[in-house]
Amino acid sequence: IKISNQQKTLDDRVTKNLLAVGWFIEKRVTLARAAELARKSLSDFIDMLKKSNIPWMEYIEEDQKMDDE
């Protein structure tokens, strides 16, 4: 099987995206670092997460208390 350079480039991008998303979900990297690893702007990375129904913002108990005040 012969793989074209274009296919290899696509595979590399997909791999980087998957790693970045996985590490972000596992909290091994920040949102900004994950976007950087995926070679995407922060807004493009967030859009990608939204399209995959992956929460990108944490809403913690402290935030809830502030909202309730």
Side-chain angles (χ1 to χ4, degrees):
I1 299 175
K2 188 172 182 174
I3 299 175
S4 70
N5 284 341
Q6 187 176 10
Q7 183 63 44
K8 184 175 178 342
T9 301
L10 178 62
D11 290 346
D12 288 346
R13 277 188 286 180
V14 170
T15 300
K16 286 177 184 171
N17 285 344
L18 289 172
L19 285 173
V21 169
W23 289 343
F24 173 71
I25 290 170
E26 293 174 354
K27 299 185 187 324
R28 294 173 66 182
V29 296
T30 64
L31 178 64
R33 180 66 178 136
E36 184 180 313
L37 291 169
R39 297 182 186 250
K40 293 186 174 292
S41 69
L42 187 56
S43 61
D44 286 347
F45 190 74
I46 290 170
D47 287 343
M48 183 178 70
L49 293 174
K50 286 179 181 178
K51 288 177 185 171
S52 299
N53 292 319
I54 297 171
W56 61 273
M57 190 171 65
E58 243 182 80
Y59 191 77
I60 58 175
E61 187 177 328
E62 198 171 296
D63 296 327
Q64 179 69 46
K65 288 177 186 175
M66 287 176 57
D67 286 348
D68 289 343
E69 293 176 355

